[in-house]
Amino acid sequence: FEALQSAPPLLALKDFMSLACTSLGQCGYHVVPLQEILAAGRLKYLDLLGTILTAAVQEAILKDTQALAAVEVDSEAMVADLGDQLGLPLTLSGGPPLELPVAAPFSRSVPDILHALRRYTEDAVGYLTGILSPGELVSAVRAARDAAIKRIVADALMRELDAGTKLPDGIRRTAQATANAAALAAAAQALDDFTVLRARGTPVSAGSKDKRGGWNPLSAARASTAAGGAAALAGWANAATGFVSVQEAGEQHLVNLVSGGIQESVGRARAAEW
């Protein structure tokens, strides 16, 4: 395990050893030491997944840095992907767009980051399945996901936010970065629903029709989450925490930038009077 420095081979080795443990256990052999090795290896695997997620988030932000323009939603397919699947708000009010095209209140890095987080979640489920009991799996995957959001995603967003405030168009960039963080926070419930669905082994194709009559694969999971009470609420609230911290920092930056701009303008006006 220690020699492997890539997530896919580590997952393949884990799957092989899990099958071996099952077969040996059925033959009466003592397999607890092997199972303990597999359980201990999850920290290394999650660390390797974190490296992959870091690269994906950095790439998404880098692609977005130049334009930092709002995503234009111009088809029902985009509405289904961004709104129904990812849970992103497509309008400032949070409701569905009345007509297309519409400029969404987030830039293109936002859906890229959410897709990267979903890949992280699926890969985490792949390793932890068979090591943990079904009852432990959901909470363990949630914990790994939330830690990755705070340690990797929110940190990258915060650094980008801070850098943007120092540029000539700092107000525009800070406003968009803050809106991006708010959109990610709004999508946290859909991300948590996806996490629960994958951890329970429910096929992504399962679900029910959404309000527009289309097939929404997360509808069943969302109904289950809604019925889950406080635990379910805490699940997606924890996922949103890292994004909310970036949003709040962005709002404070905006206040400071606008106040500074006003004070500078007043100062110039007074100097002109003299």
Side-chain angles (χ1 to χ4, degrees), residues 61 64 68 86-89 92 104-111 113-114 117 149 153-162 172-189 191 236-254:
I61 292 175
D64 213 7
L68 204 65
L86 295 181
L88 286 165
L92 289 174
F106 53 84
S107 60
R108 70 186 218 175
S109 64
V110 169
I113 288 172
L114 287 173
L117 279 169
I149 288 174
V153 184
D155 182 66
L157 293 173
M158 194 73 78
R159 282 187 275 109
E160 186 65 20
L161 173 67
D162 291 340
R172 181 183 70 86
R173 288 183 174 276
T174 302
Q176 186 61 71
T178 303
N180 285 352
L184 287 166
Q189 182 173 1
L191 176 61
W236 69 264
N238 288 338
T241 300
F243 303 134
V244 170
S245 66
V246 178
Q247 178 187 349
E248 291 175 345
E251 291 169 351
Q252 186 59 54
H253 277 312
L254 277 175

Coordinates of all heavy atoms in Angstrom, one line a residue, residues 61 64 68 86-89 92 104-111 113-114 117 149 153-162 172-189 191 236-254:
I61 N -10.5 26.8 -11.9 CA -10.3 28.2 -11.6 C -9.4 28.9 -12.6 O -9.7 30.1 -13.0 CB -9.7 28.4 -10.1 CG1 -10.7 27.9 -9.1 CG2 -9.3 29.8 -9.9 CD1 -10.2 27.9 -7.7
D64 N -11.1 29.9 -15.6 CA -12.2 30.9 -15.4 C -11.5 32.3 -15.1 O -12.2 33.3 -15.2 CB -13.0 30.5 -14.1 CG -14.4 31.0 -14.2 OD1 -14.8 31.5 -15.3 OD2 -15.1 30.8 -13.2
L68 N -14.0 35.2 -16.4 CA -14.8 35.3 -15.2 C -16.2 35.8 -15.6 O -16.8 36.6 -14.9 CB -14.2 36.1 -14.1 CG -14.7 35.8 -12.7 CD1 -14.2 34.4 -12.3 CD2 -14.1 36.8 -11.7
L86 N -27.2 19.3 -10.8 CA -26.2 19.9 -9.9 C -26.8 20.7 -8.8 O -26.2 21.1 -7.8 CB -25.2 20.7 -10.7 CG -24.3 19.9 -11.6 CD1 -23.3 20.9 -12.3 CD2 -23.5 18.8 -10.9
G87 N -28.1 21.1 -9.0 CA -28.8 21.9 -8.0 C -28.4 23.3 -7.9 O -28.6 24.0 -6.9
L88 N -27.9 23.9 -9.0 CA -27.4 25.2 -9.1 C -28.6 26.2 -9.3 O -29.5 25.9 -10.1 CB -26.4 25.4 -10.1 CG -25.0 24.9 -9.8 CD1 -24.1 24.8 -11.1 CD2 -24.3 25.7 -8.8
P89 N -28.6 27.4 -8.7 CA -29.6 28.4 -9.0 C -29.3 29.0 -10.4 O -28.2 29.5 -10.6 CB -29.4 29.4 -7.9 CG -28.0 29.3 -7.5 CD -27.6 27.8 -7.7
L92 N -31.2 34.8 -10.2 CA -30.9 35.4 -9.0 C -31.9 35.1 -7.9 O -31.6 35.0 -6.7 CB -30.8 36.9 -9.2 CG -29.6 37.4 -9.9 CD1 -29.7 38.9 -10.2 CD2 -28.3 37.1 -9.2
A104 N -26.7 32.8 -16.0 CA -26.8 32.3 -14.6 C -25.9 33.1 -13.7 O -24.9 33.7 -14.1 CB -26.3 30.8 -14.6
P105 N -26.2 33.1 -12.4 CA -25.4 33.9 -11.4 C -24.1 33.3 -11.0 O -23.7 33.4 -9.8 CB -26.4 34.1 -10.3 CG -27.2 32.9 -10.3 CD -27.4 32.5 -11.8
F106 N -23.5 32.5 -11.9 CA -22.2 31.9 -11.6 C -21.4 31.8 -12.8 O -21.9 31.8 -13.9 CB -22.4 30.5 -10.9 CG -23.2 29.6 -11.6 CD1 -22.8 28.8 -12.7 CD2 -24.6 29.5 -11.3 CE1 -23.6 27.9 -13.4 CE2 -25.4 28.6 -12.0 CZ -24.9 27.8 -13.0
S107 N -20.1 31.6 -12.7 CA -19.2 31.4 -13.9 C -18.9 30.0 -14.1 O -19.3 29.1 -13.3 CB -17.9 32.3 -13.7 OG -17.2 31.8 -12.6
R108 N -18.2 29.7 -15.1 CA -18.0 28.3 -15.6 C -17.3 27.4 -14.6 O -17.3 26.1 -14.7 CB -17.5 28.2 -17.0 CG -16.0 28.6 -17.1 CD -15.5 28.6 -18.5 NE -14.2 28.1 -18.7 CZ -13.6 28.0 -19.9 NH1 -14.3 28.3 -21.0 NH2 -12.4 27.5 -20.0
S109 N -16.5 27.9 -13.8 CA -15.7 27.1 -12.8 C -16.6 26.4 -11.8 O -16.3 25.3 -11.3 CB -14.7 27.9 -12.0 OG -15.3 28.9 -11.2
V110 N -17.8 26.9 -11.6 CA -18.7 26.4 -10.6 C -19.2 25.0 -10.9 O -19.0 24.0 -10.1 CB -19.9 27.3 -10.3 CG1 -20.9 26.6 -9.4 CG2 -19.4 28.6 -9.6
P111 N -19.8 24.7 -12.1 CA -20.2 23.4 -12.4 C -19.0 22.4 -12.6 O -19.1 21.2 -12.2 CB -20.9 23.5 -13.8 CG -20.6 24.8 -14.3 CD -20.3 25.7 -13.1
I113 N -16.3 22.5 -10.7 CA -15.9 22.2 -9.4 C -16.9 21.1 -8.8 O -16.4 20.2 -8.1 CB -15.8 23.4 -8.5 CG1 -14.6 24.3 -8.8 CG2 -15.8 23.0 -7.0 CD1 -14.6 25.6 -8.2
L114 N -18.2 21.3 -9.1 CA -19.1 20.4 -8.6 C -19.0 19.0 -9.2 O -19.1 18.0 -8.5 CB -20.5 20.9 -8.8 CG -21.0 22.1 -7.9 CD1 -22.3 22.6 -8.4 CD2 -21.1 21.6 -6.5
L117 N -16.1 17.4 -7.5 CA -16.5 16.9 -6.1 C -17.3 15.6 -6.2 O -17.2 14.7 -5.4 CB -17.3 17.9 -5.4 CG -16.5 19.0 -4.7 CD1 -17.4 20.2 -4.3 CD2 -15.7 18.5 -3.5
I149 N -13.8 19.6 0.9 CA -14.4 20.9 0.5 C -13.7 22.0 1.3 O -13.3 23.0 0.7 CB -15.9 21.0 0.8 CG1 -16.7 20.1 -0.2 CG2 -16.4 22.4 0.7 CD1 -18.2 20.0 0.0
V153 N -11.2 22.8 -1.7 CA -12.0 23.7 -2.5 C -12.1 25.1 -1.9 O -11.8 26.1 -2.6 CB -13.4 23.1 -2.8 CG1 -14.2 24.0 -3.7 CG2 -13.2 21.7 -3.3
A154 N -12.6 25.2 -0.7 CA -12.8 26.5 -0.1 C -11.4 27.3 0.0 O -11.4 28.5 -0.2 CB -13.4 26.4 1.3
D155 N -10.4 26.6 0.3 CA -9.0 27.2 0.4 C -8.6 27.8 -1.0 O -8.2 28.9 -1.0 CB -8.0 26.2 0.8 CG -6.6 26.8 1.0 OD1 -6.5 27.7 1.9 OD2 -5.7 26.5 0.2
A156 N -8.9 27.0 -2.1 CA -8.5 27.5 -3.4 C -9.4 28.7 -3.8 O -8.9 29.7 -4.4 CB -8.7 26.4 -4.4
L157 N -10.7 28.7 -3.4 CA -11.6 29.8 -3.7 C -11.2 31.0 -2.9 O -11.3 32.1 -3.4 CB -13.0 29.4 -3.4 CG -13.6 28.3 -4.3 CD1 -15.0 27.8 -3.8 CD2 -13.7 28.7 -5.8
M158 N -10.8 30.8 -1.7 CA -10.4 32.0 -0.9 C -9.2 32.6 -1.4 O -9.1 33.9 -1.4 CB -10.2 31.5 0.6 CG -10.2 32.6 1.6 SD -11.8 33.4 1.9 CE -12.5 32.1 3.0
R159 N -8.2 31.8 -1.8 CA -7.0 32.4 -2.4 C -7.3 33.2 -3.7 O -6.7 34.3 -3.9 CB -6.0 31.3 -2.6 CG -5.3 30.9 -1.4 CD -4.1 29.9 -1.6 NE -4.6 28.6 -1.7 CZ -4.6 27.9 -2.9 NH1 -4.3 28.4 -4.0 NH2 -5.1 26.6 -2.9
E160 N -8.2 32.7 -4.5 CA -8.6 33.3 -5.7 C -9.3 34.6 -5.4 O -9.2 35.7 -6.1 CB -9.4 32.4 -6.6 CG -9.7 33.0 -8.0 CD -8.5 33.2 -8.8 OE1 -7.5 32.6 -8.6 OE2 -8.6 34.0 -9.8
L161 N -10.2 34.6 -4.4 CA -11.0 35.7 -4.0 C -10.0 36.9 -3.5 O -10.1 38.0 -3.9 CB -11.9 35.4 -2.9 CG -12.7 36.5 -2.2 CD1 -13.7 37.1 -3.1 CD2 -13.4 35.9 -0.9
D162 N -9.1 36.5 -2.7 CA -8.1 37.5 -2.1 C -7.3 38.1 -3.2 O -7.0 39.3 -3.2 CB -7.2 36.9 -1.1 CG -7.9 36.5 0.2 OD1 -9.0 37.0 0.4 OD2 -7.4 35.6 0.9
R172 N -15.6 43.9 -9.6 CA -16.3 43.0 -10.5 C -15.9 41.5 -10.2 O -16.7 40.6 -10.1 CB -16.0 43.3 -12.0 CG -16.7 42.4 -13.0 CD -16.3 42.7 -14.4 NE -15.0 42.2 -14.7 CZ -14.7 41.0 -15.1 NH1 -15.6 40.1 -15.1 NH2 -13.4 40.7 -15.3
R173 N -14.6 41.3 -10.1 CA -14.1 40.0 -9.8 C -14.5 39.5 -8.4 O -14.9 38.3 -8.3 CB -12.6 39.9 -9.9 CG -12.1 40.0 -11.3 CD -10.5 39.9 -11.4 NE -10.1 39.9 -12.8 CZ -10.1 38.8 -13.5 NH1 -10.5 37.6 -13.0 NH2 -9.7 38.8 -14.8
T174 N -14.5 40.4 -7.4 CA -14.9 40.0 -6.1 C -16.4 39.7 -6.1 O -16.9 38.7 -5.4 CB -14.6 41.1 -5.1 OG1 -13.2 41.3 -5.1 CG2 -15.0 40.7 -3.7
A175 N -17.2 40.5 -6.8 CA -18.7 40.2 -6.8 C -19.0 38.9 -7.5 O -19.8 38.1 -7.0 CB -19.4 41.3 -7.6
Q176 N -18.2 38.5 -8.6 CA -18.5 37.2 -9.2 C -18.0 36.1 -8.4 O -18.7 35.0 -8.3 CB -17.8 37.2 -10.6 CG -18.1 36.0 -11.4 CD -19.6 35.8 -11.8 OE1 -20.1 36.6 -12.6 NE2 -20.2 34.9 -11.1
A177 N -16.9 36.2 -7.8 CA -16.3 35.2 -6.9 C -17.3 34.9 -5.7 O -17.5 33.8 -5.3 CB -15.0 35.5 -6.4
T178 N -17.9 36.0 -5.2 CA -18.8 35.9 -4.1 C -20.1 35.2 -4.6 O -20.7 34.3 -3.9 CB -19.2 37.2 -3.5 OG1 -18.0 37.9 -3.1 CG2 -20.1 37.1 -2.3
A179 N -20.6 35.5 -5.8 CA -21.7 34.9 -6.3 C -21.5 33.4 -6.6 O -22.3 32.5 -6.4 CB -22.2 35.6 -7.6
N180 N -20.3 33.1 -7.0 CA -19.9 31.7 -7.3 C -20.0 30.9 -6.0 O -20.5 29.7 -6.0 CB -18.5 31.6 -7.8 CG -18.4 32.0 -9.3 OD1 -19.4 32.2 -10.0 ND2 -17.2 32.1 -9.8
A181 N -19.4 31.5 -4.9 CA -19.5 30.8 -3.6 C -20.9 30.6 -3.1 O -21.3 29.5 -2.6 CB -18.7 31.5 -2.6
A182 N -21.8 31.6 -3.4 CA -23.2 31.4 -3.0 C -23.8 30.3 -3.8 O -24.7 29.6 -3.3 CB -23.9 32.8 -3.2
A183 N -23.5 30.3 -5.1 CA -24.1 29.2 -5.9 C -23.7 27.8 -5.5 O -24.5 26.9 -5.4 CB -23.7 29.4 -7.4
L184 N -22.4 27.7 -5.1 CA -21.9 26.4 -4.6 C -22.6 26.0 -3.3 O -22.9 24.8 -3.1 CB -20.4 26.5 -4.4 CG -19.5 26.5 -5.7 CD1 -18.1 26.9 -5.4 CD2 -19.6 25.1 -6.4
A185 N -22.8 27.0 -2.4 CA -23.5 26.7 -1.2 C -24.9 26.3 -1.5 O -25.4 25.4 -0.8 CB -23.5 28.0 -0.3
A186 N -25.6 26.9 -2.4 CA -26.9 26.5 -2.8 C -27.0 25.1 -3.4 O -28.0 24.4 -3.2 CB -27.5 27.5 -3.8
A187 N -25.9 24.7 -4.0 CA -25.9 23.4 -4.6 C -25.5 22.3 -3.6 O -25.4 21.1 -4.0 CB -24.9 23.4 -5.8
A188 N -25.2 22.7 -2.4 CA -24.7 21.7 -1.4 C -25.8 20.6 -1.1 O -25.4 19.4 -0.9 CB -24.3 22.4 -0.1
Q189 N -27.1 20.9 -1.2 CA -28.1 19.9 -0.9 C -28.1 18.9 -2.0 O -28.1 17.7 -1.7 CB -29.5 20.5 -0.7 CG -30.5 19.5 -0.4 CD -31.9 20.1 -0.1 OE1 -32.1 21.3 -0.1 NE2 -32.8 19.2 0.3
L191 N -25.6 18.1 -3.8 CA -24.3 17.3 -3.7 C -24.5 16.3 -2.6 O -24.0 15.1 -2.7 CB -23.2 18.3 -3.4 CG -21.8 17.6 -3.1 CD1 -21.3 16.8 -4.3 CD2 -20.8 18.7 -2.7
W236 N -26.2 18.2 4.5 CA -26.0 19.1 3.4 C -25.5 20.5 4.0 O -24.8 21.2 3.3 CB -27.2 19.3 2.5 CG -28.4 19.9 3.0 CD1 -29.5 19.3 3.5 CD2 -28.7 21.3 3.0 NE1 -30.5 20.2 3.8 CE2 -30.0 21.5 3.5 CE3 -28.0 22.5 2.7 CZ2 -30.6 22.7 3.7 CZ3 -28.6 23.7 2.8 CH2 -29.9 23.8 3.4
A237 N -25.9 20.8 5.2 CA -25.4 22.0 5.8 C -23.9 22.0 6.0 O -23.2 23.0 5.8 CB -26.1 22.3 7.2
N238 N -23.4 20.8 6.4 CA -22.0 20.7 6.6 C -21.2 20.8 5.3 O -20.1 21.4 5.2 CB -21.6 19.3 7.2 CG -22.0 19.3 8.7 OD1 -22.1 20.3 9.4 ND2 -22.2 18.0 9.2
A239 N -21.8 20.3 4.2 CA -21.2 20.4 2.9 C -21.2 21.9 2.4 O -20.3 22.3 1.7 CB -22.0 19.6 1.9
A240 N -22.1 22.7 2.9 CA -22.2 24.1 2.5 C -21.3 25.0 3.3 O -21.0 26.1 2.8 CB -23.6 24.6 2.6
T241 N -20.8 24.5 4.4 CA -20.1 25.4 5.4 C -18.9 26.1 4.7 O -18.6 27.3 4.9 CB -19.6 24.6 6.6 OG1 -20.8 24.1 7.3 CG2 -18.9 25.5 7.6
G242 N -18.0 25.3 4.0 CA -16.9 25.8 3.4 C -17.2 26.9 2.4 O -16.5 27.9 2.3
F243 N -18.2 26.7 1.6 CA -18.6 27.6 0.6 C -19.2 28.9 1.2 O -18.9 30.0 0.7 CB -19.7 27.0 -0.4 CG -19.2 25.8 -1.0 CD1 -20.1 24.6 -1.1 CD2 -18.0 25.7 -1.6 CE1 -19.7 23.5 -1.7 CE2 -17.6 24.5 -2.3 CZ -18.4 23.4 -2.3
V244 N -19.9 28.8 2.3 CA -20.5 29.9 3.0 C -19.4 30.8 3.5 O -19.5 32.0 3.5 CB -21.5 29.4 4.1 CG1 -21.9 30.6 5.0 CG2 -22.7 28.8 3.5
S245 N -18.3 30.2 4.0 CA -17.2 31.0 4.6 C -16.6 31.8 3.5 O -16.2 33.0 3.7 CB -16.2 30.1 5.2 OG -15.6 29.3 4.3
V246 N -16.5 31.3 2.3 CA -15.9 32.1 1.2 C -16.9 33.2 0.8 O -16.5 34.3 0.5 CB -15.6 31.2 0.0 CG1 -15.1 32.0 -1.2 CG2 -14.6 30.1 0.3
Q247 N -18.2 32.9 0.7 CA -19.2 33.9 0.4 C -19.2 35.0 1.4 O -19.2 36.2 1.0 CB -20.6 33.2 0.4 CG -21.7 34.2 0.1 CD -23.1 33.6 0.3 OE1 -23.2 32.4 0.5 NE2 -24.1 34.4 0.3
E248 N -19.1 34.7 2.7 CA -19.1 35.8 3.7 C -17.8 36.6 3.6 O -17.9 37.9 3.8 CB -19.2 35.2 5.1 CG -20.6 34.5 5.4 CD -20.6 33.8 6.7 OE1 -19.5 33.5 7.3 OE2 -21.7 33.5 7.1
A249 N -16.7 36.0 3.3 CA -15.4 36.7 3.1 C -15.6 37.7 1.9 O -15.1 38.8 1.9 CB -14.3 35.8 3.0
G250 N -16.2 37.1 0.8 CA -16.3 38.0 -0.4 C -17.2 39.2 -0.1 O -17.0 40.3 -0.6
E251 N -18.3 38.9 0.6 CA -19.2 40.1 1.0 C -18.5 41.1 1.7 O -18.6 42.3 1.5 CB -20.4 39.5 1.7 CG -21.3 38.7 0.9 CD -22.4 37.9 1.7 OE1 -22.2 38.0 3.0 OE2 -23.3 37.3 1.1
Q252 N -17.6 40.7 2.7 CA -16.8 41.7 3.4 C -15.8 42.4 2.6 O -15.6 43.7 2.7 CB -16.1 41.0 4.6 CG -15.4 42.0 5.5 CD -16.3 43.0 6.2 OE1 -17.3 42.6 6.8 NE2 -16.0 44.3 6.0
H253 N -15.2 41.7 1.6 CA -14.3 42.3 0.7 C -15.0 43.4 -0.1 O -14.5 44.5 -0.4 CB -13.7 41.3 -0.2 CG -12.5 40.6 0.4 ND1 -11.4 41.2 1.0 CD2 -12.2 39.2 0.4 CE1 -10.5 40.3 1.4 NE2 -11.0 39.1 1.0
L254 N -16.2 43.1 -0.6 CA -17.0 44.0 -1.4 C -17.3 45.3 -0.6 O -17.2 46.4 -1.2 CB -18.3 43.3 -1.9 CG -18.2 42.4 -3.1 CD1 -19.6 41.8 -3.3 CD2 -17.8 43.3 -4.3

